[in-house]
Amino acid sequence: MADIFNEVDEDVRKEKSLALWKSYGKYVIALAVLIVAGTAGYVGWQNYTVSQSRSQGAEFEAAAALATDEKHGEAAAAFAGLAESGNSGYRPLAALREAEAMIAAGEGEKALLVYERLAADGSVDTEFSSLASLLAGYYLLDTGTTDQLRERIAPLTEPGGLWSASANELLALSYIKDGDSAKAKEVLALIQNDAATPEDIKARVSQLLAAIEDK
């Protein structure tokens, strides 16, 4: 990540905050999504070991293989079936993968509906319902309005939440995209000073703050 930020330093000095977002915002999102997805996978594995189902495991693996083969439409349909009929371990994971496959297939609006349903599903663990809102926010940062994004992730930004650091990082990026450096710095400072913030996020926040100061 350090190389990415170094490469954009010259542009950052010349351009406004929106250019800062255009230069490396998507790299931050890509890395954050990988981290979030990894955490979701760990939580999902815990659920899987508690309520293992051989047939549903096979269904999930088959759907994942379709996604790997870039058969995104077929993968989305396969994940949708498991999201409908799966047990408590597989159902939310399948819904998240369904939305991911839909986005890859160019059906982002349908993916948002999947995220909305999962976020409102009181029968799944809050790790997954909250994650659905966060991932919807990442998608909206690139395709929607920043107001839509902030509305979607607002409940996640409260201190102490599982995804609060990631949600606030996303909130800061939304202000950078709007060209509001002052609000972005305020949010980034809160993340940086929070002892619960993961070190990888703190490192990105420090780089973002430095880049904003240099622009």
Side-chain angles (χ1 to χ4, degrees):
M1 289 295 293
D3 290 339
I4 294 171
F5 284 92
N6 290 334
E7 288 173 5
V8 302
D9 276 349
E10 183 177 352
D11 289 336
V12 167
R13 293 189 184 96
K14 296 178 182 178
E15 302 294 334
K16 297 181 179 180
S17 292
L18 182 57
L20 179 61
W21 150 250
K22 289 181 178 178
S23 296
Y24 62 79
K26 293 179 182 180
Y27 291 100
V28 176
I29 289 176
L31 182 58
V33 168
L34 287 175
I35 293 167
V36 167
T39 303
Y42 172 71
V43 174
W45 176 251
Q46 288 182 313
N47 285 337
Y48 170 77
T49 57
V50 172
S51 55
Q52 184 176 9
S53 168
R54 184 172 298 175
S55 62
Q56 291 180 21
E59 287 180 48
F60 191 92
E61 290 179 8
L66 289 170
T68 299
D69 291 341
E70 298 187 354
K71 298 177 181 179
H72 302 301
E74 294 178 45
F79 282 123
L82 192 54
E84 181 68 26
S85 61
N87 62 29
S88 60
Y90 279 112
R91 191 158 51 83
L93 279 176
L96 291 172
R97 292 299 302 271
E98 176 191 0
E100 179 186 357
M102 284 179 170
I103 290 172
E107 297 184 320
E109 293 303 314
K110 290 183 179 179
L112 283 177
L113 294 176
V114 174
Y115 285 138
E116 287 176 5
R117 286 198 300 271
L118 184 57
D121 189 344
S123 68
V124 303
D125 290 344
T126 56
E127 293 93 336
F128 293 107
S129 57
S130 298
L131 180 57
S133 293
L134 182 65
L135 294 178
Y138 283 123
Y139 177 74
L140 288 169
L141 183 60
D142 196 33
T143 63
T145 69
T146 50
D147 285 340
Q148 289 174 319
L149 181 160
R150 291 179 199 126
E151 181 180 0
R152 189 67 64 103
I153 67 169
L156 310 181
T157 59
E158 296 299 321
L162 177 61
W163 308 111
S164 61
S166 295
N168 277 297
E169 183 183 26
L170 183 53
L171 178 62
L173 284 172
S174 77
Y175 287 129
I176 289 173
K177 188 175 182 180
D178 280 349
D180 194 337
S181 296
K183 284 189 176 180
K185 288 167 64 176
E186 180 180 337
V187 175
L188 291 169
L190 289 174
I191 302 171
Q192 193 174 52
N193 295 327
D194 186 346
T197 299
E199 290 302 316
D200 54 333
I201 295 181
K202 280 190 175 182
R204 293 200 302 273
V205 164
S206 295
Q207 292 172 316
L208 277 167
L209 284 168
I212 292 173
E213 293 291 346
D214 287 345
K215 77 177 183 63

